[in-house]
Amino acid sequence: MKLQHYLGGLENLGPVSTDVRVFVEPWETRIFGIHTAMMALSSQLPLPKTPSTFTTVWTWADLRKGAESLNPFDYFKYRYYEKWLGGISGYFIANGYITAEELDALTEEYYKNPSKPLPVAGAAEIDERVVRYIVEGDSPKRDVQVTFEFTVGDTIAIRNVPTVEHTRLPGFLRDKTGTIETVYDGAYTYLCDTGPDGVGEAMPVYCVRFEPAALWPGNAEPNFSLYADLYASYLAPLEGEIATAKAA
């Protein structure tokens, strides 16, 4: 697993930035806008058709996969929206919207002439769909029947799943045990498949309570608990409980 998949709970990674600005440079607003438009125009959404040539699926999940699939050295070298730009660019190349050679040529063109006007769009149908998407969003909840393996109060184990592109499982919870605090009603996806990490089709989601002393022995404050909402694919029965169930 790549380090950038689970920075939480790790020490000695350097100072934490306290900059609260959403955008540091003007170009970052454009990257945010491109990302938002891609989500709004994704083909899986039940929204009105537009003249946009964007015909594939892009979600928040795809954005995270694009950033975290970077080489770790690149991930820590680039700034936040630079990682966004890399993930979006890679997606356009992988899905045939532009070739790497065409992108490189355009990049050099704008380096040589930064004042060159950017392409102008402005289809009203596209703007209306983007606004509607921002208002309505894209819920991960799905109307499908699922089986709930655990109930409130169950003690469960957390799997150490193989992660290649992205994960929703914090590293410090892997191979630990916790207690089911809440069983959420319904089934949920993550908007994209995480591959061998295990999140794909809609599944139950549980709120699991952990005791910090068990997560960080000898290095945790007392009198509090940590809670994590986790997909069912990350949870497993304790081996002892499995053996007891077979004997019964």
Side-chain angles (χ1 to χ4, degrees):
M1 181 187 301
K2 298 172 183 173
L3 174 62
Q4 64 263 33
H5 283 139
Y6 64 102
L7 298 181
L10 297 181
E11 297 179 318
N12 302 318
L13 290 179
V16 175
S17 173
T18 57
D19 192 337
V20 297
R21 291 176 293 174
V22 177
F23 303 111
V24 177
E25 297 182 8
W27 66 266
E28 296 173 343
T29 64
R30 183 172 290 273
I31 298 302
F32 186 89
I34 291 171
H35 161 63
T36 303
M38 290 169 66
M39 290 195 298
L41 297 169
S42 288
S43 58
Q44 88 283 7
L45 297 175
L47 295 176
K49 298 292 184 182
T50 75
S52 171
T53 57
F54 187 78
T55 59
T56 48
V57 175
W58 176 263
T59 68
W60 273 110
D62 294 290
L63 176 70
R64 293 181 175 122
K65 285 175 63 175
E68 293 185 11
S69 61
L70 291 171
N71 179 291
F73 292 102
D74 290 334
Y75 184 89
F76 290 104
K77 178 173 66 176
Y78 295 123
R79 289 170 40 199
Y80 187 68
Y81 284 104
E82 288 177 323
K83 291 193 260 285
W84 281 39
L85 175 58
I88 291 171
S89 300
Y91 177 90
F92 278 130
I93 292 171
N95 285 273
Y97 291 103
I98 192 172
T99 66
E101 292 74 21
E102 290 170 334
L103 182 60
D104 288 343
L106 284 169
T107 301
E108 288 301 320
E109 193 174 322
Y110 279 98
Y111 272 144
K112 293 175 181 177
N113 184 13
S115 61
K116 178 181 177 179
L118 293 170
V120 177
E125 304 96 320
I126 293 177
D127 292 343
E128 291 169 3
R129 176 162 166 153
V130 172
V131 171
R132 180 171 171 180
Y133 170 79
I134 292 173
V135 172
E136 297 180 1
D138 183 16
S139 173
K141 190 172 185 179
R142 297 291 183 264
D143 185 18
V144 297
Q145 294 295 320
V146 292
T147 300
F148 294 90
E149 186 176 0
F150 307 109
T151 60
V152 173
D154 286 350
T155 301
I156 50 84
I158 304 301
R159 304 179 190 274
N160 189 0
V161 294
T163 298
V164 178
E165 292 180 328
H166 183 64
T167 186
R168 303 308 294 163
L169 178 60
F172 59 85
L173 298 181
R174 294 165 183 264
D175 293 325
K176 305 297 183 180
T177 60
T179 303
I180 300 295
E181 182 76 13
T182 305
V183 180
Y184 291 111
D185 180 45
Y188 300 83
T189 71
Y190 181 54
L191 304 177
C192 80
D193 196 310
T194 60
D197 179 75
V199 181
E201 296 297 324
M203 65 182 71
V205 172
Y206 301 89
C207 178
V208 184
R209 185 180 76 251
F210 298 90
E211 300 310 317
L215 300 178
W216 302 288
N219 193 27
E221 296 179 5
N223 303 321
F224 80 99
S225 296
L226 184 147
Y227 297 84
D229 291 340
L230 300 174
Y231 286 98
S233 61
Y234 296 147
L235 277 54
L238 291 178
E239 293 185 2
E241 293 185 0
I242 296 176
T244 300
K246 288 182 178 179

mmCIF file of all heavy atoms in Angstrom, residues 1 35 39 43 111 194 217 226:
data_model
loop_
_atom_site.group_PDB
_atom_site.id
_atom_site.type_symbol
_atom_site.label_atom_id
_atom_site.label_comp_id
_atom_site.label_asym_id
_atom_site.label_seq_id
_atom_site.Cartn_x
_atom_site.Cartn_y
_atom_site.Cartn_z
ATOM 1 N N MET A 1 0.841 -1.198 0.000
ATOM 2 C CA MET A 1 0.000 0.000 0.000
ATOM 3 C C MET A 1 0.873 1.244 0.000
ATOM 4 O O MET A 1 1.902 1.299 0.651
ATOM 5 C CB MET A 1 -0.888 0.004 1.241
ATOM 6 C CG MET A 1 -1.820 1.198 1.309
ATOM 7 S SD MET A 1 -2.671 1.236 2.859
ATOM 8 C CE MET A 1 -3.483 -0.337 2.781
ATOM 9 N N HIS A 35 -13.453 20.121 -12.530
ATOM 10 C CA HIS A 35 -13.838 18.927 -11.778
ATOM 11 C C HIS A 35 -15.348 18.900 -11.519
ATOM 12 O O HIS A 35 -16.015 17.874 -11.711
ATOM 13 C CB HIS A 35 -13.065 18.897 -10.458
ATOM 14 C CG HIS A 35 -13.645 18.009 -9.406
ATOM 15 N ND1 HIS A 35 -13.769 16.645 -9.553
ATOM 16 C CD2 HIS A 35 -14.146 18.309 -8.175
ATOM 17 C CE1 HIS A 35 -14.315 16.131 -8.474
ATOM 18 N NE2 HIS A 35 -14.557 17.123 -7.623
ATOM 19 N N MET A 39 -18.167 16.156 -12.996
ATOM 20 C CA MET A 39 -19.107 15.390 -12.172
ATOM 21 C C MET A 39 -20.534 15.611 -12.642
ATOM 22 O O MET A 39 -21.327 14.674 -12.748
ATOM 23 C CB MET A 39 -18.967 15.789 -10.697
ATOM 24 C CG MET A 39 -17.689 15.336 -10.026
ATOM 25 S SD MET A 39 -17.766 15.452 -8.219
ATOM 26 C CE MET A 39 -17.993 17.219 -7.987
ATOM 27 N N SER A 43 -22.183 10.529 -17.264
ATOM 28 C CA SER A 43 -23.252 9.851 -17.995
ATOM 29 C C SER A 43 -24.190 9.043 -17.110
ATOM 30 O O SER A 43 -25.293 8.693 -17.538
ATOM 31 C CB SER A 43 -22.636 8.925 -19.048
ATOM 32 O OG SER A 43 -21.773 7.974 -18.441
ATOM 33 N N TYR A 111 2.720 27.883 -22.398
ATOM 34 C CA TYR A 111 3.935 28.349 -21.725
ATOM 35 C C TYR A 111 4.578 29.481 -22.532
ATOM 36 O O TYR A 111 5.043 30.480 -21.975
ATOM 37 C CB TYR A 111 4.932 27.205 -21.568
ATOM 38 C CG TYR A 111 4.763 26.381 -20.323
ATOM 39 C CD1 TYR A 111 4.994 24.998 -20.350
ATOM 40 C CD2 TYR A 111 4.391 26.958 -19.109
ATOM 41 C CE1 TYR A 111 4.841 24.226 -19.213
ATOM 42 C CE2 TYR A 111 4.241 26.204 -17.972
ATOM 43 C CZ TYR A 111 4.464 24.830 -18.018
ATOM 44 O OH TYR A 111 4.314 24.064 -16.891
ATOM 45 N N THR A 194 -13.255 0.442 -6.123
ATOM 46 C CA THR A 194 -11.889 0.592 -5.607
ATOM 47 C C THR A 194 -11.038 -0.649 -5.858
ATOM 48 O O THR A 194 -9.958 -0.800 -5.286
ATOM 49 C CB THR A 194 -11.890 0.910 -4.100
ATOM 50 O OG1 THR A 194 -12.525 -0.149 -3.385
ATOM 51 C CG2 THR A 194 -12.615 2.221 -3.822
ATOM 52 N N PRO A 217 -1.273 1.583 21.602
ATOM 53 C CA PRO A 217 -0.935 1.167 22.973
ATOM 54 C C PRO A 217 0.149 2.059 23.575
ATOM 55 O O PRO A 217 1.185 2.308 22.969
ATOM 56 C CB PRO A 217 -0.434 -0.271 22.787
ATOM 57 C CG PRO A 217 -1.078 -0.732 21.519
ATOM 58 C CD PRO A 217 -1.138 0.482 20.642
ATOM 59 N N LEU A 226 -13.048 6.354 19.584
ATOM 60 C CA LEU A 226 -12.940 6.796 18.198
ATOM 61 C C LEU A 226 -13.981 6.041 17.374
ATOM 62 O O LEU A 226 -14.154 4.833 17.537
ATOM 63 C CB LEU A 226 -11.534 6.517 17.672
ATOM 64 C CG LEU A 226 -11.203 6.996 16.254
ATOM 65 C CD1 LEU A 226 -9.743 7.404 16.171
ATOM 66 C CD2 LEU A 226 -11.499 5.920 15.206
#
